[in-house]
Amino acid sequence: MASKTKRQPKIKPVNNFLVLFVLSVFQVITGYIAAGCGEKFEMKAMLALLCLVVTEWVYLLFFYTVFHRRNFELELIAFFLSGVGLVTIGSVYPESAFKQYFMVLAGIFAFIFIVFLMGHVDFCMKIRWYIAGLSILLLIVNLAIARVTNGARNWITIGGVTFQPSEFVKIAFIFVGAATLEKIQTSKNIIAYIIYSLMCVGSLIIIKDFGTALIFFVTFLIIAFMNSGDIKTIGLAIASAVMGGTIVLKYKSYVMRRFAVYRHVWEFPYDQGMQQTRVLVGIASGGLFGVGIGNGYVRYVFAPVSDSIFGVICEEWGFIFGIMLVLSFVAIAISALVNSIAARSSAYAIAAVASAGMLLFQCSLNIFGITDILPLTGVTIPFVSLGGSSMMSCWAILAFIKASDVRTYNYLSGRRKGGADK
């Protein structure tokens, strides 16, 4: 009896060019407003935004014509988020606009590279432990030479270039997990990945990057559940994490200070709770439609284009737009789930769902932390917040979801058929 093959879910085609045209108009208008919201018109901010629009069109036209791709939903969402971030950053710090654009461009190249790499699962299987070794080496270097910023030792400067190693380890963490558990899940493979995960999370705890450590742990739970489907195993892992977290809270005064102000920010409005109280006031004052780009007050709090950028957006663009921003990440997660159903192998399914879970959870940590629903962890919003290594990491992680879509590699199957016919 022939085995049943997975059917690709029916996805209603999107008019990519129409969507990108509407997005481009939106970006140009908001970019123009952002560039002119200060005392003088900031041409740098406007030019950076125009460069992004041109890049988007070049990307779409190239892959549409050369590789005959028709599935650009994920890229369009990422373009939207990156554009919103670039406009907001350009309105607050015009001098950082071009830097952010180049980081988006670097992220797009990383995205393209990983999509092509994931097209060859057998090769990914061969290099997975080399990638794991390099990521552990990167964390060791981080432990040795990183400088402390905002309480965490997670920034390295080499040759004048500053980056965050843990952001690149995120990519390796998903890659290694998906490639290791892709085929027969032997106890040797599973134990090796658990040890690798413990080394990653443990290193992050040592350097006091607890927000990123939590993101890694949640991603590990997603990968573990997709591998085993056993709720008991996940429960045991969570219980172990709670015990470890209790120990950390007992002996790490830095974390204790974060938890001391949690749910009590209004008791410290001019001290530890200043950032969050100002964000909450800003979100409330912005109302449904915002006070206008450049007219808010959250842009003057600490880290307005990184940790607090959601508050700036809600105050100036409106609460409804803030909800749209969050729904963009939900759309990415739904896309990953749909793609995983018909994925060519379990490696694609694991990588896609883990990537979507990582992005969605990181977004939630930022928004819930800055609004005092969860403790403030200092993580950024993917694609939106200012940051070079973070931007590259987000685009690279998105590539795992893109690779899980069976439509992505249609051009490869077409070539193979053509070769067979010849």
Side-chain angles (χ1 to χ4, degrees):
M1 185 176 177
S3 60
K4 295 183 179 179
T5 57
K6 295 179 181 179
R7 292 183 178 181
Q8 180 182 352
K10 292 183 179 180
I11 302 173
K12 188 176 180 180
V14 174
N15 189 327
N16 299 295
F17 292 98
L18 178 60
V19 173
L20 186 55
F21 174 77
V22 173
L23 177 60
S24 299
V25 172
F26 168 77
Q27 289 176 334
V28 170
I29 292 174
T30 54
Y32 181 81
I33 296 171
C37 68
E39 296 180 358
K40 63 176 182 177
F41 189 84
E42 297 290 350
M43 187 57 70
K44 289 182 179 179
M46 189 68 212
L47 288 176
L49 197 281
L50 291 175
C51 287
L52 177 62
V53 172
V54 172
T55 302
E56 293 167 353
W57 280 99
V58 170
Y59 176 91
L60 179 63
L61 290 169
F62 178 78
F63 283 97
Y64 189 93
T65 56
V66 178
F67 292 95
H68 307 290
R69 286 184 185 164
R70 300 296 182 266
N71 57 323
F72 294 97
E73 299 88 358
L74 284 173
E75 292 95 318
L76 290 169
I77 294 173
F79 287 151
F80 165 71
L81 293 170
S82 299
V84 171
L86 184 56
V87 170
T88 306
I89 292 164
S91 71
V92 180
Y93 300 130
E95 65 280 2
S96 298
F98 261 109
K99 178 183 176 182
Q100 183 73 355
Y101 162 70
F102 284 120
M103 291 302 100
V104 173
L105 186 62
I108 293 172
F109 279 115
F111 173 86
I112 294 170
F113 172 76
I114 291 183
V115 168
F116 277 102
L117 179 64
M118 290 296 291
H120 307 280
V121 177
D122 292 337
F123 180 72
C124 293
M125 288 285 295
K126 292 177 182 178
I127 66 171
R128 68 190 191 278
W129 293 123
Y130 295 104
I131 299 297
L134 285 174
S135 62
I136 293 298
L137 179 62
L138 190 58
L139 287 173
I140 292 173
V141 172
N142 191 143
L143 289 169
I145 66 173
R147 60 184 173 85
V148 177
T149 304
N150 298 326
R153 197 167 77 249
N154 57 355
W155 291 93
I156 291 179
T157 301
I158 299 177
V161 178
T162 302
F163 64 96
Q164 203 170 354
S166 59
E167 293 294 337
F168 298 110
V169 178
K170 285 179 183 178
I171 307 167
F173 191 75
I174 295 174
F175 180 88
V176 173
T180 301
L181 305 177
E182 193 269 337
K183 293 188 176 180
I184 300 174
Q185 285 106 33
T186 63
S187 58
K188 181 180 178 181
N189 278 353
I190 295 172
I191 292 172
Y193 185 66
I194 290 174
I195 293 173
Y196 171 66
S197 302
L198 288 172
M199 292 176 70
C200 289
V201 175
S203 299
L204 292 168
I205 291 175
I206 292 173
I207 66 176
K208 299 182 181 180
D209 193 353
F210 299 107
T212 305
L214 185 57
I215 292 171
F216 270 69
F217 178 70
V218 170
T219 305
F220 168 77
L221 292 182
I222 294 172
I223 294 174
F225 179 74
M226 291 196 68
N227 173 52
S228 66
D230 187 3
I231 297 295
K232 293 180 181 178
T233 303
I234 304 304
L236 180 62
I238 293 175
S240 302
V242 170
M243 291 176 62
T246 303
I247 295 172
V248 170
L249 287 174
K250 184 175 181 180
Y251 295 104
K252 295 290 183 179
S253 59
Y254 169 72
V255 183
M256 283 300 296
R257 289 197 299 271
R258 289 277 180 111
F259 272 84
V261 75
Y262 171 54
R263 304 302 296 170
H264 298 282
V265 293
W266 293 105
E267 297 175 18
F268 309 94
Y270 302 105
D271 195 3
Q272 299 102 315
M274 178 178 287
Q275 182 183 12
Q276 290 155 291
T277 54
R278 297 303 181 271
V279 168
L280 290 170
V281 170
I283 293 175
S285 63
L288 294 178
F289 304 105
V291 297
I293 298 175
N295 298 324
Y297 291 97
V298 179
R299 59 176 47 233
Y300 302 113
V301 305
F302 176 73
V305 292
S306 53
D307 296 4
S308 306
I309 196 168
F310 184 74
V312 176
I313 292 171
C314 283
E315 182 183 23
E316 299 185 1
W317 303 55
F319 184 73
I320 292 177
F321 191 86
I323 295 298
M324 289 176 57
L325 203 73
V326 174
L327 291 178
S328 298
F329 290 97
V330 175
I332 291 174
I334 293 173
S335 177
L337 291 174
V338 171
N339 292 345
S340 66
I341 296 173
R344 295 190 300 164
S345 72
S346 57
Y348 292 106
I350 292 172
V353 176
S355 298
M358 177 179 282
L359 292 173
L360 186 61
F361 183 69
Q362 181 173 331
C363 176
S364 302
L365 272 184
N366 176 278
I367 294 172
F368 292 153
I370 206 68
T371 53
D372 202 33
I373 296 173
L374 290 175
L376 186 63
T377 56
V379 300
T380 56
I381 298 183
F383 301 105
V384 180
S385 298
L386 177 67
S389 47
S390 174
M391 181 63 72
M392 292 178 64
S393 170
C394 291
W395 274 97
I397 290 168
L398 189 72
F400 292 120
I401 306 175
K402 177 77 173 183
S404 69
D405 190 339
V406 292
R407 299 172 295 169
T408 299
Y409 302 106
N410 281 343
Y411 74 96
L412 283 176
S413 59
R415 285 181 181 178
R416 288 164 184 163
K417 288 179 181 178
D421 291 340
K422 291 178 182 178

